[in-house]
Amino acid sequence: MTTPKPGDPVWVDLYTADPERSIAFYGDLFGWTVDRAGAEFGGYLTFRKDGKAVAGGMGRMDDGDTGPDRWTVYLSAPDARATAAAASAHGGSVIVEPMDVGDLGTMAVLADPDGAGVGIWQTGTFGGIETEAIVEGGRWRNHAGAPSWFELHTRAYQASLAFYRDVFGWSDTFEMPGAPDFRYTTIHSTSPMLGGVMDASDFLPPGAPAGWTVYFGADDVDKAVAQAIALGGKVVSAAQDTPYGRMATVADPTGAIFHLGGDVA
């Protein structure tokens, strides 16, 4: 994450109604510790795994937001303000205007043309996620408790791809071959691919919004799911084997949804 390409996922953060409960949940589930920023940064939380920054978090604000607690994925941009302007020009909208975060960088939050929220991060002294999950011989390395994959579920598949190419500079995507009812494009055509865009038209429930989601690594997905339940979370989608590893979807105690991913073979 030290030299990301434009449009690469570089950070995730949690918007939560109960920061203390979230700190306890993710600390017990993933072994995360937490740093708390001062008032000048709104008490922002930085979660760490083995001392390395893996995610952020902040408490809900009284700003009229009635949406659920959630994880937000941030994509890299060399100029956050120019990217926000480009998003507006290509059918998106700006939810949080670009703002400097001290000397750490510049952030903003957008909605893409299908309504999926996505963040912008322009690197200053802070580059983002400090771990690197890789696959060697069909098994993950360095991924337990760290972000391992980032995925957009959208009903506007082609329009979304065009938006991210135009706004974030995706130029080396790869559409995976598959059945006619499975359309998926990875952010890069060669490893590390980092994430992808899925045509979710056939499985998003009516009324469910499009959205970005994050996968956190687990050495044993079934064990992690059981632990999440014991800690007050809920199963959204039970663990199952896929060609890309064992996966499950869970919600934390305040309802923020995320995925767990295990070995690919």
Side-chain angles (χ1 to χ4, degrees):
M1 295 299 180
T2 56
T3 55
K5 297 178 181 178
D8 280 359
V10 290
W11 190 240
V12 292
D13 66 14
L14 175 67
Y15 194 53
T16 174
D18 192 338
E20 296 307 319
R21 192 174 186 189
S22 296
I23 289 169
F25 174 83
Y26 290 101
D28 289 341
L29 182 63
F30 293 137
W32 288 357
T33 58
V34 66
D35 294 340
R36 301 172 189 259
E40 67 274 24
F41 294 111
Y44 192 82
L45 307 173
T46 299
F47 294 107
R48 296 184 180 274
K49 176 70 175 181
D50 300 326
K52 296 182 178 180
V54 292
M58 63 181 299
R60 294 185 72 94
M61 296 180 290
D62 185 17
D63 58 359
D65 183 354
T66 59
D69 285 10
R70 57 194 176 270
W71 282 96
T72 298
V73 174
Y74 289 77
L75 305 183
S76 175
D79 185 328
R81 290 175 173 82
T83 300
S88 297
H90 288 87
S93 59
V94 179
I95 300 172
V96 177
E97 293 287 345
M99 67 176 70
D100 295 329
V101 186
D103 63 355
L104 299 175
T106 304
M107 62 83 64
V109 180
L110 312 174
D112 72 17
D114 198 29
V118 63
I120 301 172
W121 183 249
Q122 176 186 336
T123 297
T125 59
F126 180 69
I129 300 164
E130 295 176 345
T131 62
E132 182 182 12
I134 59 174
V135 176
E136 295 176 345
R139 298 182 68 85
W140 284 102
R141 297 288 184 267
N142 305 325
H143 85 132
S148 300
W149 192 254
F150 311 86
E151 193 168 82
L152 172 62
H153 294 173
T154 179
R155 295 182 180 87
Y157 179 68
Q158 294 294 354
S160 294
L161 287 172
F163 174 83
Y164 288 96
R165 287 168 179 149
D166 290 339
V167 173
F168 285 96
W170 288 1
S171 60
D172 186 32
T173 58
F174 171 70
E175 185 159 14
M176 298 176 64
D181 59 349
F182 178 78
R183 296 197 296 175
Y184 197 103
T185 292
T186 59
I187 295 175
H188 294 298
S189 61
T190 57
S191 183
M193 292 178 174
L194 302 177
V197 176
M198 177 184 288
D199 182 353
S201 303
D202 292 336
F203 72 82
L204 275 177
W212 280 89
T213 188
V214 58
Y215 288 73
F216 293 110
D219 290 331
D220 185 324
V221 170
D222 296 270
K223 183 178 179 180
V225 169
Q227 187 177 11
I229 294 170
L231 293 168
K234 296 180 179 179
V235 176
V236 177
S237 179
Q240 60 181 320
D241 291 323
T242 78
Y244 313 103
R246 190 156 178 81
M247 300 178 186
T249 306
V250 299
D252 71 15
T254 70
I257 293 174
F258 61 96
H259 300 274
L260 294 164
D263 288 335
V264 298

